[in-house]
């Protein structure tokens, strides 16, 4: 029954055919079970493990690598290779792919846990009325129409409509569903609001929420998937995971790379058609096959086999750094997504605020005879910890607050007129509440005021253990003044009173709504000397002004306190006793903003990131918090920036689009609204981070580009998120964004490094084929260069230090290419030099080396016809391992120098020296040691078809390798000093060589 909130109690009972005094009959229960289903959230069919594994390989770049592995294995078999040599290259490639697939499977398996943990919020049992008798049954057996009795501490077992109040009031904590910072008072009357949100349905008890006060009966109107929890589950199921910006760019890069590789392979094969009939091949067909092998070898060289592994490694390094910042990353790709976040939709309660109600202001009457009439105090401390200072109106701390009569009696009233519990949890290391947040805040106030009579009181209390300190002062007052009688809070009185006794002294303490308490007061307690004076009209007016200031301007939740001396021997209280009261004071409390939030929000603004506060609370409460944060002092008027969910939905589509671009506050929301907001922002090509801690936040967390859950939040929110904040602190998000930007910059650097290196390998093979000289590098040598000499330095580039201005730049656009046109030109130049230097090393050995044959260049070009003509040198010279060893060493060394170029995109090595990244220096040294190892250790040198080099060979290698530093320094200089001129001079037809596409389908 979807509109039960708008129907009367009689209408709802008639709809289900149930009598409130007897409940359903067994026949009705069976019929309703068939009609409406069971009260469970059904388990979802899990994706089969094999399908999950295969999904990880559904990536173009990965498919290219698989093809490369297969082709390299087939070519090895065609060449007659067996054993380790044949399996080495494909095995290493497949190992890399297996490692990446493992990471992907683990990530997706974790994401499915959110739906499982959502069921943990269902109640286990329910007290139900059937056949005229109450019984306790499993909550899963409830059906619509069942009459259920609930009381304090009960978890609501299904969505239910209130039908009878069995106490003065009923309050429910539904923060996990709506995010409201305070418990909600429930009532029997029908709601007349159109398009009601959960907060408006004050006669509905929602599944999974908890009763914190009172007792009542209700009729079940929704079970299983037809509950509020069920709608959250359905919303999560309908949400598909979005690919991260980096993943999209790598996919585009893979598509671009595939086209380039295919084109070059075909070009190399066509260029060499004239050589197909060379005698050395043994025929046209054999020649065609030979050059096909070369083309495929070139394709293998062009594929950056280590790219997936290095990207994963760099992101993993980022997760470790972020963990030290209290940001626990659950999904590796989300590390990079943070770097391009443009909008942060922040939950208010628990993220921007402490989610701990605390007293911040106290107002008492100082004296009625001389000024000032009213005294105001402020209270520090924003958590449930009994630690804080009370300041006077001038901001001066008060050393012994309990010496002041009004503050002393406020502490007594707060401790005695109270049903909550404050305790220390050693497992979590913090103070926790049991009961109403407002009452716990009063207990904390009593602890901050302390006890009278001891000059060393503050320091004495600090010597107690945290468990003893939690409620030491409260327990003192409870021991000193024994409770005799209590009159509970009622909606019409709006107050609670308690009768206490001490040494033949009877005192009644009261707390409640200020208008109710003050109207019943005839006298006031003076803070100056503890005397009692009549409550005059002027004093009453002054108190009214302070109340308006507290509740209006500062949007504090206000309570007034009073006392009354009662006749000795009185044992009970009645409503008639609650008059002729003595006013003690007024307290204002709030869920305060975290102290560090202001600077964090200013950092977001400097970084071009917009923050939208999303909350289930009232509009005025949220606007007041926004002002208290202090980061938006320029925002005098909230017009056009603050909307309730209902107001936003009523706007025409065009105005909604405009409102999204200026929105700063989104209030009175329920789960569907949060998800709707994320989707709307994503349609405007925003990269959205959503924070949350409740069950209600889970669908939006899953839908957002990056979902951020609070460490103290629900398990459902954590499982649906990409990142968890261990300290629940908004400032941690900003630090994580800076880290994400730095990670992306480093990712770009090593991708460019690998591109330029692989271009060098392609140029090497291509030029060798065009010139008609012997194969410069063997496939196994290319594999060594790609995986070892590329992989180690590329990974170390991930340790480049974060730029000092990383949070001063605007977020990068999601469609920004990893490699732009000018950068691609730069790395083409570097890559071309790498390839030409490698070829030069090969030719140098044949033509000029002291240990070489010193052949004329024409002989080298005609090597394939050596066996058909007479030569003054043996043809076996072309099978010598020295020239390929020299060229391979040149390739390794030049790439090590090129790695140093990638310490920064545009900064010179004179500004950012090599030792700024010791990991990179270490990887270069290790790479060179490994290379020397395969040159000079006999079994390895045979495996990699290399041989030891002489000192003259090494000198040539260095001469050919070092110029890559000079070339890149020149290119960096042009990028820094005359970027516009360079772009004009080298402008491509498109500024982006990598293909672009729309980020999202409209």
């Amino acid at each position: 029954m979807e509109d039960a909130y708008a129907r009367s109690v009689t209408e709802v009972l008639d709809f289900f055919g149930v009598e409130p005094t007897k409940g359903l009959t067994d026949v009705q229960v069976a019929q309703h079970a068939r009609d409406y289903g069971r009260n469970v959230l059904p388990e979802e069919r899990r994706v089969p493990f094999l399908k999950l594994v295969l999904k990880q390989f559904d990536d173009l770049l990965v498919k290219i690598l698989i093809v490369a592995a297969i082709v390299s294995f087939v070519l090895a078999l065609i060449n007659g290779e067996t054993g380790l040599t044949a399996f080495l290259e494909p095995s290493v490639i497949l190992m890399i792919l297996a490692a990446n697939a493992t990471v992907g499977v683990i990530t997706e398996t974790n994401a499915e846990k959110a739906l499982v943990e959502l069921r943990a919020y269902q109640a286990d049992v329910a007290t139900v009325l059937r056949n005229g008798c109450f019984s306790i049954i499993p909550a899963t057996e409830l059906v619509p129409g069942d009459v259920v009795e609930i009381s304090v501490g009960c978890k609501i077992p299904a969505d239910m409509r209130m039908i009878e109040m069995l106490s003065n009031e009923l309050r429910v904590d539904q923060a996990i569903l709506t995010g409201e910072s305070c418990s909600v008072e429930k009532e029997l009357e029908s709601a007349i609001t159109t398009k009601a949100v959960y907060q408006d349905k004050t006669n509905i008890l929602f599944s999974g929420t908890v009763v914190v006060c009172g007792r009542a009966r209700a009729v079940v109107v929704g079970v299983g998937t037809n509950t509020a929890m069920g709608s959250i589950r359905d919303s999560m199921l309908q949400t598909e995971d979005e690919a991260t910006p980096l993943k999209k760019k790598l996919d585009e890069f893979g598509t671009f790379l595939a086209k380039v590789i295919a084109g070059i392979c075909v070009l190399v094969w066509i260029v060499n058609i004239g050589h197909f009939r060379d005698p050395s091949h043994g025929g046209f067909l054999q020649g065609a096959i030979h050059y096909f092998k070369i083309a495929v070898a070139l394709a293998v060289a062009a594929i950056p086999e280590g790219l997936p592994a290095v990207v994963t490694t760099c992101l993993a390094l980022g997760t470790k750094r972020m963990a030290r910042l209290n940001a626990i990353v659950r999904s590796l790709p989300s590390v990079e997504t943070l770097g391009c976040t443009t909008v942060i939709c922040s939950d208010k309660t628990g993220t921007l605020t402490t989610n701990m109600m605390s007293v911040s202001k106290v107002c008492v009457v100082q004296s009625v005879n001389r000024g000032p009439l009213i005294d105001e105090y402020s209270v520090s401390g924003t958590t449930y910890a009994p630690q804080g200072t009370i300041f006077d109106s001038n901001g001066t701390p008060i050393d012994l607050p309990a010496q002041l009569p009004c503050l002393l009696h406020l502490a007594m009233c707060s401790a005695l007129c109270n049903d909550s519990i404050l305790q220390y949890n050693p497992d979590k290391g913090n103070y926790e509440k049991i009961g109403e947040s407002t009452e716990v805040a009063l207990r904390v106030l009593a602890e901050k005021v302390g006890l009278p009579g001891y000059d060393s009181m503050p320091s004495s209390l600090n010597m107690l253990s945290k468990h003893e300190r939690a409620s030491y002062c409260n327990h003192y007052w409870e021991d000193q003044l024994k409770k005799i009688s209590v009159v509970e809070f009622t909606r019409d009185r709006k107050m609670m009173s308690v009768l206490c006794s001490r040494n033949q002294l009877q005192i009644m303490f009261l707390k409640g709504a200020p208008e109710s308490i003050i109207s019943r007061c005839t006298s006031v307690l003076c803070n100056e000397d503890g005397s009692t004076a009549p409550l005059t009209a002027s004093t009453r007016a002054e108190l009214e002004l302070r109340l308006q200031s507290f509740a209006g301007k500062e949007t504090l939740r206000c309570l007034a306190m009073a006392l009354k001396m009662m006749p000795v021997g009185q044992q009970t209280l009645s409503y008639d006793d609650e008059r002729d009261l003595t006013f003690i004071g007024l307290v204002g409390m709030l869920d305060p903003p975290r102290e560090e939030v202001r600077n964090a929000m200013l950092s977001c603004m400097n970084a071009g990131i917009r923050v939208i506060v999303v909350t289930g609370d009232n509009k005025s409460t949220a606007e007041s918090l926004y002002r208290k944060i202090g980061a938006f002092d320029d925002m005098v008027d909230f017009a056009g920036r603050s909307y309730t969910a209902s107001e936003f939905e009523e706007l025409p589509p065009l105005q909604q689009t405009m409102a999204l671009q200026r929105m700063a506050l989104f209030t009175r929301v329920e789960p569907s609204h949060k998800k709707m907001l994320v989707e709307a922002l994503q349609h405007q090509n925003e990269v959205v981070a959503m924070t949350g801690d409740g069950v209600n936040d889970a669908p939006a967390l899953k839908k957002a580009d990056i979902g951020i859950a609070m460490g103290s939040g629900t398990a459902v929110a954590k499982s649906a998120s990409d990142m968890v904040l261990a300290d629940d602190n908004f400032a941690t998000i900003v630090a994580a964004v800076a880290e994400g930007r730095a990670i992306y910059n480093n990712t770009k650097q090593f991708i460019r490094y690998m591109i330029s290196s692989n271009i060098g390998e392609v140029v090497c093979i291509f030029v060798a084929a065009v010139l008609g000289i012997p194969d410069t590098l063997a496939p196994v040598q290319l594999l060594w260069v790609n995986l070892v000499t590329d992989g180690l330095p590329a990974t170390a580039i991930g340790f480049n230090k974060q730029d000092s201005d990383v949070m001063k730049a605007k977020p990068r656009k999601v469609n920004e290419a990893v490699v732009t046109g000018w950068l691609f030109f730069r790395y083409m130049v570097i890559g071309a030099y790498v390839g030409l230097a490698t070829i030069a090393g090969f030719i140098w050995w044949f033509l000029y080396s002291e240990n070489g044959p010193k052949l004329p260049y024409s002989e080298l070009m005609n090597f394939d016809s050596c066996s058909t003509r007479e030569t003054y040198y043996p043809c076996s010279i072309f099978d010598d391992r020295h020239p390929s060893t020299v060229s391979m060493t040149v390739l390794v060394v030049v790439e090590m120098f090129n790695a140093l170029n990638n310490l920064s995109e545009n900064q010179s090595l004179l500004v950012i020296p090599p030792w700024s990244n010791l990991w990179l220096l270490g990887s270069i040294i290790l790479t060179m040691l490994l290379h020397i190892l395969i040159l000079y250790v006999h079994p390895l040198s045979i495996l990699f078809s290399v041989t030891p080099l002489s000192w003259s060979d090494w000198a040539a290698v260095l001469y050919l390798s070092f110029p890559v530093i000079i070339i890149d320094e020149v290119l960096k200089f042009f990028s820094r000093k005359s970027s516009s001129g360079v772009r004009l001079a080298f402008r491509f037809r498109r500024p982006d060589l990598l293909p672009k596409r729309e980020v999202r389908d409209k």
Side-chain angles (χ1 to χ4, degrees):
M1 189 175 185
E2 294 182 358
D3 61 345
Y5 67 91
R7 303 285 188 94
S8 67
V9 172
T10 304
E11 287 178 301
V12 175
L13 293 173
D14 290 345
F15 180 85
F16 292 110
V18 59
E19 292 186 31
T21 57
K22 294 183 179 180
L24 296 176
T25 64
D26 291 339
V27 175
Q28 286 178 305
V29 169
Q31 182 62 44
H32 288 191
R34 287 191 295 270
D35 292 343
Y36 301 108
R38 298 184 65 218
N39 185 31
V40 294
L41 295 179
E43 293 190 17
E44 295 308 314
R45 293 178 58 189
R46 289 178 173 265
V47 180
F49 181 75
L50 181 60
K51 187 175 181 180
L52 206 57
V53 172
L54 293 176
K55 181 182 176 182
Q56 310 308 315
F57 295 93
D58 188 19
D59 178 275
L60 184 58
L61 194 58
V62 171
K63 291 174 183 176
I64 293 173
L65 290 174
I66 294 173
V67 171
I70 295 172
V71 169
S72 63
F73 179 65
V74 171
L75 286 177
L77 293 180
I78 292 174
N79 289 334
E81 298 174 13
T82 57
L84 181 62
T85 306
F87 285 98
L88 182 63
E89 182 173 351
S91 297
V92 173
I93 294 174
L94 293 177
M95 284 172 60
I96 291 172
L97 296 177
N100 281 281
T102 301
V103 173
V105 169
I106 291 173
T107 300
E108 295 206 24
T109 303
N110 286 337
E112 289 187 355
K113 291 181 181 177
L115 292 171
V116 176
E117 288 166 339
L118 188 62
R119 286 192 289 275
Y121 290 87
Q122 292 181 290
D124 296 323
V125 295
T127 302
V128 64
L129 177 65
R130 287 180 179 174
N131 301 308
C133 298
F134 277 102
S135 60
I136 298 176
I137 65 171
T140 55
E141 296 180 9
L142 285 178
V143 297
D146 266 328
V147 176
V148 177
E149 187 166 306
I150 47 93
S151 58
V152 176
C154 285
K155 186 181 288 186
I156 306 299
D159 280 10
M160 305 190 295
R161 169 66 161 88
M162 293 267 294
I163 61 172
E164 184 180 358
M165 191 82 73
L166 302 177
S167 61
N168 292 324
E169 68 166 345
L170 184 81
R171 299 189 72 87
V172 177
D173 181 355
Q174 53 189 41
I176 65 166
L177 185 66
T178 62
E180 291 167 287
S181 54
C182 298
S183 60
V184 177
E185 185 178 352
K186 295 296 181 178
E187 55 189 17
L188 298 177
E189 287 77 11
S190 303
I192 57 175
T193 308
T194 57
K195 296 183 179 180
V197 295
Y198 291 145
Q199 294 92 325
D200 298 325
K201 300 174 183 179
T202 53
N203 53 23
I204 299 293
L205 306 176
F206 297 105
S207 173
T209 59
V210 179
V211 178
V212 296
C213 176
R215 181 165 159 261
R217 288 180 188 168
V219 61
V220 176
V221 295
V223 296
T225 55
N226 293 319
T227 62
M229 285 291 176
S231 65
I232 290 175
R233 166 191 168 275
D234 294 340
S235 182
M236 291 171 68
L237 286 174
Q238 294 167 6
T239 301
E240 296 182 2
D241 293 331
E242 292 280 341
T244 68
L246 181 60
K247 176 69 167 60
K248 293 173 182 176
K249 287 295 135 189
L250 289 178
D251 287 345
E252 293 177 16
F253 175 63
T255 304
F256 173 70
L257 196 61
K259 295 176 181 177
V260 171
I261 290 170
I264 292 177
C265 289
V266 171
L267 182 61
V268 168
W269 195 74
I270 292 174
V271 165
N272 286 284
I273 287 179
H275 296 284
F276 285 2
R277 298 185 183 277
D278 288 349
S280 60
H281 301 316
F284 182 86
L285 182 60
Q286 287 77 8
I289 293 174
H290 172 77
Y291 284 104
F292 175 72
K293 292 178 186 177
I294 292 176
V296 172
L298 186 146
V300 173
I303 298 171
E305 289 93 343
L307 182 58
V310 174
V311 170
T312 301
T313 303
C314 189
L315 294 178
L317 292 174
T319 64
K320 288 188 176 181
R321 289 199 291 268
M322 292 171 76
R324 290 196 291 269
L325 300 172
N326 289 316
I328 312 302
V329 175
R330 300 183 64 257
S331 170
L332 278 182
S334 65
V335 177
E336 176 274 331
T337 308
L338 272 170
C340 56
T341 299
T342 58
V343 177
I344 298 176
C345 295
S346 177
D347 190 36
K348 179 185 77 71
T349 307
T351 307
L352 300 180
T353 67
T354 61
N355 195 22
M356 298 182 190
M357 191 69 73
S358 63
V359 174
S360 63
K361 290 287 182 69
V362 174
C363 172
V364 298
V365 176
Q366 178 66 11
S367 171
V368 294
N369 298 321
R370 53 181 180 159
L373 176 64
I374 301 293
D375 231 348
E376 190 174 300
Y377 299 91
S378 58
V379 185
S380 69
T382 58
T383 68
Y384 291 142
Q387 299 158 359
T389 305
I390 298 179
F391 300 88
D392 63 20
S393 55
N394 297 320
T396 305
I398 299 174
D399 295 330
L400 297 171
Q403 304 286 33
L404 298 173
C406 286
L407 292 183
L408 175 64
H409 283 82
L410 278 173
M412 294 167 64
C413 185
S414 297
L416 297 166
C417 200
N418 202 314
D419 292 325
S420 67
I421 298 173
L422 176 64
Q423 63 185 15
Y424 180 73
N425 187 330
D427 296 329
K428 295 182 180 179
N430 58 19
Y431 293 89
E432 293 181 339
K433 72 178 177 78
I434 298 176
E436 279 286 343
S437 299
T438 52
E439 292 200 333
V440 177
L442 294 178
R443 285 211 180 274
V444 175
L445 174 64
E447 297 297 327
K448 292 176 181 178
V449 171
L451 301 176
Y454 300 97
D455 292 341
S456 61
M457 177 50 63
S459 57
S460 298
L461 289 173
N462 292 334
M463 294 173 65
L464 298 172
S465 69
K466 291 185 176 180
H467 179 73
E468 293 174 315
R469 181 68 187 92
S471 294
Y472 185 86
C473 299
N474 283 271
H475 290 160
Y476 173 84
W477 292 121
E478 288 169 348
D479 290 338
Q480 292 292 316
L481 293 103
K482 301 296 184 182
K483 290 185 184 180
I484 300 174
S485 178
V486 177
V487 178
E488 296 290 347
F489 181 96
T490 59
R491 291 181 58 197
D492 53 348
R493 289 164 48 249
K494 294 182 180 179
M495 68 174 67
M496 170 188 179
S497 58
V498 57
L499 178 63
C500 301
S501 173
R502 180 190 183 191
N503 299 331
Q504 301 299 312
L505 185 67
Q506 305 281 94
I507 307 176
M508 178 174 64
F509 289 103
L510 306 93
K511 78 169 192 292
E515 59 272 17
S516 298
I517 294 289
I518 296 175
S519 64
R520 297 167 191 248
C521 289
T522 56
S523 60
V524 296
L525 182 67
C526 296
N527 197 42
E528 183 181 52
D529 53 10
S531 62
T532 301
L535 178 57
T536 62
S538 60
T539 305
R540 198 181 294 271
E542 183 66 26
L543 288 174
E544 289 290 342
L545 287 175
R546 292 301 172 104
L547 175 61
Q548 290 175 14
S549 175
F550 279 15
K553 182 180 177 182
E554 300 184 53
T555 61
L556 300 177
R557 183 165 187 176
C558 296
L559 288 175
M561 298 188 190
L563 60 81
K564 181 180 180 181
M565 305 305 295
M566 305 297 291
V568 176
Q570 182 169 336
Q571 297 296 311
T572 60
L573 289 177
S574 67
Y575 293 165
D576 290 336
D577 293 321
E578 297 173 335
R579 61 187 180 189
D580 299 327
L581 308 177
T582 299
F583 178 81
I584 303 174
L586 188 69
V587 297
M589 58 187 75
L590 79 164
D591 181 9
R594 293 176 179 271
E595 295 176 358
E596 57 280 348
V597 165
R598 180 179 184 275
N599 290 335
M601 284 202 168
L602 289 173
S603 295
C604 284
M605 294 166 67
N606 291 334
I609 300 172
R610 189 155 55 99
V611 179
I612 300 177
V613 178
V614 184
T615 178
D617 270 342
N618 289 320
K619 189 175 183 178
S620 59
T621 304
E623 290 178 356
S624 174
L625 172 77
Y626 224 75
R627 291 190 175 96
K628 282 187 173 71
I629 289 172
F632 307 93
D633 295 336
D634 58 322
M635 195 182 296
V636 179
D637 187 9
F638 281 100
R641 293 179 178 271
S642 177
Y643 295 90
T644 65
S646 300
E647 289 171 350
F648 182 79
E649 287 183 323
E650 290 171 0
L651 293 175
L654 181 59
Q655 290 186 29
Q656 283 187 353
T657 302
M658 296 175 64
L660 282 171
Q661 295 171 0
R662 301 185 68 236
M663 182 185 291
L665 281 168
F666 196 43
T667 53
R668 300 295 283 175
V669 300
E670 56 185 41
S672 60
H673 295 134
K674 292 187 176 184
K675 184 182 174 186
M676 176 268 291
L677 175 64
V678 172
E679 290 175 339
L681 289 168
Q682 287 176 335
H683 278 303
Q684 294 190 359
N685 285 344
E686 303 280 8
V687 178
V688 184
M690 167 65 79
T691 73
D693 56 359
V695 173
N696 60 316
D697 300 315
L701 289 174
K702 191 175 180 188
K703 177 63 181 174
D705 295 288
I706 175 163
I708 304 171
M710 301 299 108
S712 62
T714 62
V716 179
K718 293 177 188 176
S719 297
S721 66
D722 301 298
M723 190 174 85
V724 178
L725 299 185
D727 58 358
D728 292 9
N729 197 331
F730 182 84
T732 303
I733 302 175
V734 180
V737 168
E739 189 62 43
R741 290 186 173 191
I743 288 169
Y744 179 74
N745 290 340
N746 291 343
T747 302
K748 284 201 303 182
Q749 289 304 103
F750 73 66
I751 288 176
R752 290 167 187 157
Y753 166 71
M754 297 185 81
I755 290 174
S756 60
S757 299
N758 283 40
I759 288 173
E761 295 167 18
V762 170
V763 169
C764 171
I765 295 175
F766 182 78
V767 172
V770 172
L771 295 178
I773 62 177
D775 294 343
T776 310
L777 297 170
V780 70
Q781 292 171 337
L782 280 174
L783 178 68
W784 171 257
V785 173
N786 281 344
L787 295 186
V788 182
T789 63
D790 277 3
L792 289 176
T795 304
I797 287 171
F799 288 93
N800 285 349
K801 291 184 178 179
Q802 187 181 115
D803 292 341
S804 58
D805 60 347
V806 71
M807 286 299 286
K808 294 179 181 177
K810 300 298 181 186
R812 74 178 192 277
K813 296 180 180 178
V814 289
N815 58 356
E816 175 186 303
V818 178
V819 182
T820 59
W822 163 241
L823 280 174
F824 191 78
F825 171 80
R826 278 177 54 180
Y827 287 92
M828 279 289 290
V829 172
I830 297 296
Y833 180 80
V834 170
L836 293 175
T838 305
I839 290 286
F842 186 84
I843 295 174
W844 170 86
W845 189 85
F846 278 105
L847 274 58
Y848 304 109
S849 175
E850 294 177 359
N851 302 319
K854 296 188 177 180
L855 299 177
Y857 182 68
S858 58
E859 289 293 321
L860 183 61
M861 290 184 63
N862 295 303
F863 78 99
D864 52 356
S865 62
C866 178
S867 59
T868 62
R869 54 190 174 83
E870 291 187 8
T871 58
Y872 65 89
Y873 56 87
C875 292
S876 60
I877 194 69
F878 296 113
D879 297 323
D880 195 303
R881 290 182 294 171
H882 273 93
S884 63
T885 302
V886 171
S887 62
M888 177 186 178
T889 304
V890 169
L891 183 57
V892 169
V893 174
V894 77
E895 289 190 6
M896 295 305 99
F897 283 128
N898 190 32
L900 294 177
N901 288 333
N902 285 275
L903 282 168
S904 173
E905 181 178 318
N906 292 318
Q907 291 298 320
S908 168
L909 284 173
L910 299 175
V911 176
I912 301 180
W915 51 87
S916 65
N917 187 342
L918 295 178
W919 287 99
L920 182 57
L921 282 182
S923 69
I924 290 173
I925 293 170
L926 180 59
T927 298
M928 291 308 303
L929 289 175
L930 289 172
H931 186 66
I932 291 170
L933 191 67
I934 70 167
L935 292 184
Y936 295 98
V937 176
H938 185 64
L940 293 175
S941 63
I942 295 175
L943 177 64
F944 288 98
S945 301
V946 293
T947 190
L949 297 180
S950 65
W951 286 111
S952 61
D953 293 337
W954 277 106
V957 167
L958 290 174
Y959 278 125
L960 289 170
S961 303
F962 185 76
V964 75
I965 294 279
I966 299 172
I967 294 172
D968 199 57
E969 284 292 310
V970 172
L971 291 171
K972 286 181 178 179
F973 174 80
F974 279 112
S975 290
R976 291 193 307 270
K977 302 299 181 182
S978 53
S979 177
S980 58
V982 171
R983 291 180 186 274
L984 288 171
F986 298 99
R987 186 175 296 278
F988 292 94
R989 184 180 177 186
R990 288 183 56 181
D992 235 334
L993 288 186
L994 299 189
K996 287 185 178 179
R997 65 179 180 221
E998 285 298 320
V999 178
R1000 293 179 176 85
D1001 296 330
K1002 296 290 183 182

